């Protein structure tokens, strides 16, 4: 987690933007992202140079040529003159990062960056922000991620676009439960800043790097065909593309697309893995929503429409791990019940992780769950695995302070992953434990209610009280003792 010092540094940068005339939180994020991106490119080039000097080989795929050294963060931050710095960044550095996705403009990165604008209004503000960003230590990859999280959190706290923020440790949990393989085609149909896709890329790099880069075809597949993200906010698409590029994915298919609209109804059966936290509590007009989704489930609720969309987008045998509000699990409307029945009867509902309501604080207090299922079109649900998450490593209040994650009572996430990958072993677990299996017939008998409270058993601790006569006798004795004490005090006063 990032320290209080770094948070206050970010707050200072944020305030500098606001006092410098940029008050739209999305614009602040966008401009800060460009600058962080420029700084990161310099760091990546430095790593490549060190490797080249160690091996005695030429620099592998250099970002900056020898003629572009003046565009590097480490060079221009020492210019000293705000006016020269402003001219260089606006006229040279910014056009350079816009051209990075390829000269032909065919990459998704180039397409999204086409409309990017450098909007920092004056040299003084740019110089101030460059100095402040340079003072933040970002060598550690997790610090960078947490820093980004903190910045995105400021959008949510500004009351806009809060749906883009899924805590990184929850994303990581979902990715580890799904354990992506190099052959997977991964999609997030509401990708925002591409957090799920970045985490999936990191997982693949950690666990399958040999297979990813064993030949040119494998590397091309990883960089061009593995990751797909859809969103209809062009700023988010730019931020998401930069995020992916910084994490080593050169040309992910991040597209400007309203996933639920009729205009994109032709996209189906393309992906083997979906990871998503779609917008909740939205409502669409029937006219603007894709007709094939309405055929699966007749509703205006976005959380139900997205589930129908996931089923449409997945290949047969494809898997999904998605965040849903608790209402999806037990809602009593016809659409809620119909969708749950489809998941249980027509496909394979694998598991449900019930999360405490504090997980999305301070931005939202809604109770949520992770829904895990496989598209089969032929049923296959036998038992559904339930896990009752009670702690995620952070306090569940608005402060979300870090707790001692080595203790299970503070952090259930390692246990969730271990039990998920060995869920067959939960057959013999009692319903009083944190995880257990529920047979399909029982779920069907409960009108397809998927709320964990419907199935878990609570053990009430038996409390033994003393007999009332004994309690009364003790009270009388206490009373007598008080009276004796008062008599002694009276005697002393006489």
């Amino acid at each position: 987690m990032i320290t209080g010092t770094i948070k206050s540094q970010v707050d200072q940068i944020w305030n500098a933007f606001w006092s410098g005339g940029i008050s739209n939180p999305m614009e602040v994020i966008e401009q800060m992202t460009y600058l962080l991106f420029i700084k990161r490119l310099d760091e990546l080039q430095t790593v490549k140079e060190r490797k080249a000097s160690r091996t005695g080989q030429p620099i592998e795929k250099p970002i900056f040529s020898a003629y572009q050294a003046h565009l590097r963060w480490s060079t221009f931050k020492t210019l000293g003159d705000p006016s020269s710095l402003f001219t260089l960044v606006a006229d040279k550095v910014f056009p350079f990062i816009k051209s990075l996705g390829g000269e032909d403009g065919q990459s998704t990165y180039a397409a999204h960056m086409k409309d990017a604008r450098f909007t920092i209004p004056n040299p003084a503000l740019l110089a101030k922000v460059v100095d402040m960003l340079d003072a933040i230590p970002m060598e550690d990859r997790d610090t960078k991620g947490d820093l980004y999280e903190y910045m995105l959190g400021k959008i949510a706290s500004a009351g806009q676009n809060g749906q883009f923020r899924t805590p990184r440790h929850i994303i990581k949990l979902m990715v580890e439960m799904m354990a992506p393989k190099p052959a997977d085609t991964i999609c997030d149909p509401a990708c925002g800043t591409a957090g799920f896709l970045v985490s999936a890329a990191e997982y693949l790099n950690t666990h399958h790097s040999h297979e990813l880069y064993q030949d040119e075809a494998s590397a091309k597949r990883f960089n061009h065909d593995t990751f797909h993200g859809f969103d209809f906010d062009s700023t988010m698409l730019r931020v998401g593309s930069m995020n992916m590029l910084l994490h080593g994915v050169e040309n992910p298919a991040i597209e400007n697309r309203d996933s639920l609209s009729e205009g994109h109804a032709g996209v189906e059966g393309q992906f083997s893995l979906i990871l998503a936290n779609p917008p909740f509590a939205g409502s669409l007009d029937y006219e603007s929503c894709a007709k094939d989704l309405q055929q699966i489930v007749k509703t205006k609720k976005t959380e139900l429409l997205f589930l129908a969309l996931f089923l449409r987008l997945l290949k047969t045998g494809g898997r999904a791990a998605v965040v849903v509000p608790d209402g999806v699990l037990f809602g009593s409307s016809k659409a809620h019940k119909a969708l749950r029945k489809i998941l249980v009867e027509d496909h394979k509902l694998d598991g449900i992780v019930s999360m405490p309501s504090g997980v999305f604080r301070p931005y939202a207090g809604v109770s949520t769950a992770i829904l895990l299922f496989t598209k089969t079109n032929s049923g296959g649900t036998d038992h559904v695995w339930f896990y009752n998450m009670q702690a995620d490593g952070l306090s569940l209040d608005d402060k979300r302070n870090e707790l001692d994650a080595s203790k299970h009572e503070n952090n259930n996430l390692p246990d969730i992953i271990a039990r998920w990958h060995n869920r067959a072993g939960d057959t013999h677990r009692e319903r009083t434990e944190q995880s257990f299996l529920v047979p399909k017939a029982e779920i069907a008998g409960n009108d397809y209610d998927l709320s964990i409270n419907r199935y878990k058993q609570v053990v009430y601790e038996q409390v033994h009280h003393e007999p009332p006569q004994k309690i009364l006798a003790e009270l009388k004795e206490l009373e007598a003792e008080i009276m004796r004490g008062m008599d002694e005090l009276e005697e002393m006063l006489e």
Side-chain angles (χ1 to χ4, degrees), residues 316-338:
T316 302
R319 303 163 303 136
V322 298
V323 178
V324 295
D326 271 4
V328 168
L329 306 180
F330 57 74
S332 56
S333 78
K334 194 175 168 186
H336 280 90
K337 288 180 183 175

Side-chain angles (χ1 to χ4, degrees), residues 171-191:
I171 290 176
K172 194 162 179 275
L173 167 74
M174 291 163 68
V175 169
E176 290 194 15
M177 289 176 84
M178 289 291 99
K181 301 278 190 300
D184 274 320
T185 310
I186 304 166
C187 178
D188 180 352
C191 69

